[in-house]
Amino acid sequence: MSHPPFDLYAFWRTSATFRVRVALHMKGIAATEHQVNLDAGEQRGEAFLKINPLAAIPALVTPDQPPLTQSMAILEFLEELQPTPPLLPADLYGRARVRSIAGMLASDTHPLVTPRVRRYLTGSAGFDDAAWRAWQMQWFGTGLAAVEQRLASEAGTGRFCHGEVPGMADICLASIIAVMRVFKIPTSGTPTVDRIVAACEELDAFQRAQPQRQVGAPT
């Protein structure tokens, strides 16, 4: 299937960019990446604010259309653009379950540990590095523990978060683990999560999206 040319505004280590990279790789859709250096504050520059006034990445841009922002909206867009291989199961309840688990990770967990939250806490709330690390460990740990409880107890869980093929929930789960590794935040007490992430990391699409393999990653 032919697609319009896509430009992906990205940064090497972010969880949200990881999600979009995996989906693009899974579906075989090419995108030209443009690096937005979050550490240098490029996301707050005038040029990027025209793409996303919230100063957040990723953004997926195609000619003659407004930029697409928010990683989950981009995943849904890619799913509708090219339904195979699917990121969502065929049945109504299964799709809701996958979206629910994905939301626990991408909507409830990840937003608490983004650069703009760190910028506020360290700049206005008196957080030093130790306090910020404790904050990360608290909210990463809380989110993963809740997901582990669901995955370990619900019948829908298989080799992956839902059944025997990877999808949107697995992308979100792997994206959280990937950024935790970047920041050296340990995981513990999550054997089901660990097993599913290991299964994801056997797949080429997940391997190619790993932060350390991206342009701009430290060598």
Side-chain angles (χ1 to χ4, degrees), residues 159-170:
R159 174 173 169 78
F160 295 98
C161 288
H162 190 82
E164 304 307 308
V165 295
M168 193 175 291
D170 304 282

Side-chain angles (χ1 to χ4, degrees), residues 2-219:
S2 62
H3 304 294
F6 288 114
D7 292 287
L8 177 64
Y9 289 81
F11 190 53
W12 69 272
R13 71 165 185 256
T14 76
S15 183
T17 308
F18 177 100
R19 294 192 277 273
V20 174
R21 284 195 186 104
V22 173
L24 288 168
H25 294 323
M26 287 179 69
K27 291 183 178 292
I29 299 173
T32 301
E33 285 205 16
H34 305 271
Q35 298 302 305
V36 180
N37 190 330
L38 302 186
D39 293 333
E42 291 179 0
Q43 72 276 23
R44 296 186 294 276
E46 181 179 356
F48 186 71
L49 289 176
K50 291 179 180 177
I51 296 172
N52 185 358
L54 194 59
I57 60 170
L60 191 67
V61 179
T62 190
D64 303 321
Q65 294 292 339
L68 299 174
T69 63
Q70 300 296 328
S71 65
M72 301 309 294
I74 295 172
L75 263 58
E76 294 275 2
F77 167 79
L78 295 174
E79 178 75 345
E80 295 183 22
L81 176 71
Q82 183 168 305
T84 55
L87 302 180
L88 293 166
D91 64 292
L92 179 65
Y93 182 85
R95 291 195 299 274
R97 179 176 184 263
V98 166
R99 287 185 172 111
S100 175
I101 294 170
M104 293 172 71
L105 295 155
S107 300
D108 290 335
T109 301
H110 177 229
L112 293 167
V113 293
T114 57
R116 63 180 177 269
V117 171
R118 178 178 185 175
R119 184 165 173 253
Y120 175 80
L121 292 175
T122 57
S124 302
F127 273 42
D128 59 13
D129 288 344
W132 170 244
R133 182 171 177 80
W135 175 277
Q136 288 179 301
M137 293 181 69
Q138 166 68 27
W139 296 116
F140 276 130
T142 298
L144 282 186
V147 170
E148 171 69 24
Q149 181 176 334
R150 287 196 62 181
L151 294 175
S153 64
E154 294 181 359
T157 305
R159 174 173 169 78
F160 295 98
C161 288
H162 190 82
E164 304 307 308
V165 295
M168 193 175 291
D170 304 282
I171 291 173
C172 292
L173 179 59
S175 76
I176 294 295
I177 298 298
V179 79
M180 289 178 71
R181 290 174 180 165
V182 168
F183 293 115
K184 297 180 171 56
I185 304 296
T187 61
S188 62
T190 54
T192 314
V193 165
D194 297 344
R195 173 181 64 76
I196 291 171
V197 171
C200 291
E201 291 176 343
E202 294 177 3
L203 305 175
D204 179 71
F206 288 82
Q207 294 171 9
R208 292 168 63 192
Q210 290 299 320
Q212 65 270 20
R213 298 186 61 174
Q214 308 310 315
V215 172
T219 56

